[in-house]
Amino acid sequence: MKGIFITFEGNEGSGKTTVIQAIKEMLVSSGVSVTLTREPGGSKIAEQIRNIILDKNNVEMDAKTEALLLAAARKQHLVEVVLPALKQNHIVLCDRYVDSSLAYQGYARGIGIEEVYEMNLFATDHLLPNLTIYIDITPELGLNRIASNNRNVNRLDLENLKFHQLVHEGYAIIQNMFPNRIVRVDGNQSKEKVIEDSKQIVMTFLNRK
Ligand code: TYD
């Protein structure tokens, strides 16, 4: 089997991390080699860039600076982690990728989805995922889940509800731009059901290959 690149997207608190872990376990137990990783970060240099992006003290960061740093971290992570794993025929499961930049920087920050997309095509040498699972949770519910999870709060979490609503609107637009690649899961359901639906989508995709 050739390497397959699967990404996971959604608003804060959508449960991506739990879903990815469950999918990893499912694939590993069926004997597939899996690389699980996340953005921004996932390699030494990319984690250093991540710290600059998410530092709560960097309140003066410009939107384009943020988008460029994310794209820089993305490229480094591709070269060091994703591409080598794909070359070894792994299934790469990545927590966030280009679509996050389109929703957060392109739409919610107002740079423009098309502009950020162009920049990311440059940064990634046009490497888009084979499949993207979008966990669609209403921002209010997502933020409530984070608040009750005790997760570390970063600079983007501190944005107001309006920002997270824009991110959510952005994802809806992006889903329409890439209907063949992005598959939506209803993230407002129970955690078990979100996991079950996501597993089903991955299995259907792999069986079609
Ligand atoms: P992280 O702690 O990894 O949060 P999450 O569990 O929600 O993925 O923080 C990543 C933050 O960076 C998150 O708020 C989304 C944001 N982000 C962007 O704004 N653009 C991007 O391209 C990426 C990859 C992340």
Side-chain angles (χ1 to χ4, degrees):
M1 195 201 291
K2 248 176 65 240
I4 294 170
F5 186 23
I6 303 178
T7 61
F8 296 81
E9 296 284 350
N11 273 73
E12 328 288 317
S14 62
K16 284 182 285 98
T17 313
T18 321
V19 168
I20 297 174
Q21 195 57 45
I23 289 180
K24 180 190 171 176
E25 281 160 22
M26 171 186 78
L27 293 172
V28 167
S29 68
S30 68
V32 181
S33 302
V34 176
T35 294
L36 190 161
T37 186
R38 67 145 186 200
E39 277 204 3
S43 82
K44 180 170 65 71
I45 295 172
E47 288 289 333
Q48 287 172 358
I49 302 174
R50 174 191 172 91
N51 290 337
I52 301 173
I53 298 167
L54 298 182
D55 186 339
K56 278 180 273 190
N57 296 316
N58 286 342
V59 286
E60 69 275 38
M61 189 178 294
D62 173 79
K64 284 190 177 170
T65 305
E66 183 178 279
L68 288 160
L69 285 172
L70 283 157
R74 177 160 301 133
K75 172 62 168 165
Q76 195 61 35
H77 174 247
L78 267 187
V79 168
E80 288 194 62
V81 179
V82 177
L83 293 175
L86 290 175
K87 213 175 237 172
Q88 290 174 40
N89 293 338
H90 283 208
I91 294 184
V92 177
L93 305 177
C94 187
D95 190 342
R96 296 194 183 279
Y97 190 60
V98 168
D99 300 309
S100 284
S101 286
L102 303 185
Y104 283 78
Q105 283 68 47
Y107 191 79
R109 295 268 194 237
I111 301 174
I113 291 179
E114 283 301 329
E115 284 80 352
V116 175
Y117 186 53
E118 286 303 318
M119 202 186 84
N120 273 277
L121 289 179
F122 167 74
T124 62
D125 294 313
H126 294 240
L127 186 88
L128 288 173
N130 301 103
L131 170 70
T132 298
I133 294 189
Y134 165 47
I135 304 176
D136 181 357
I137 190 168
T138 56
E140 292 83 353
L141 181 57
L143 293 177
N144 278 341
R145 285 194 183 160
I146 295 185
S148 54
N149 269 354
N150 270 335
R151 165 172 159 302
N152 260 347
V153 172
N154 67 50
R155 189 170 58 84
L156 281 112
D157 295 331
L158 293 174
E159 291 288 344
N160 58 25
L161 177 61
K162 178 75 196 143
F163 178 79
H164 295 287
Q165 284 166 340
L166 286 173
V167 170
H168 190 244
E169 275 177 39
Y171 272 125
I173 295 169
I174 295 157
Q175 206 199 327
N176 284 327
M177 285 171 66
F178 305 102
N180 296 329
R181 172 173 64 81
I182 303 181
V183 184
R184 174 187 174 276
V185 171
D186 179 0
N188 297 323
Q189 310 175 96
S190 70
K191 197 186 267 184
E192 292 70 27
K193 188 71 172 67
V194 176
I195 290 174
E196 193 187 311
D197 287 1
S198 306
K199 280 182 172 173
Q200 195 57 51
I201 291 164
V202 171
M203 288 319 291
T204 306
F205 177 83
L206 294 178
N207 288 334
R208 261 200 267 117
K209 296 262 335 160

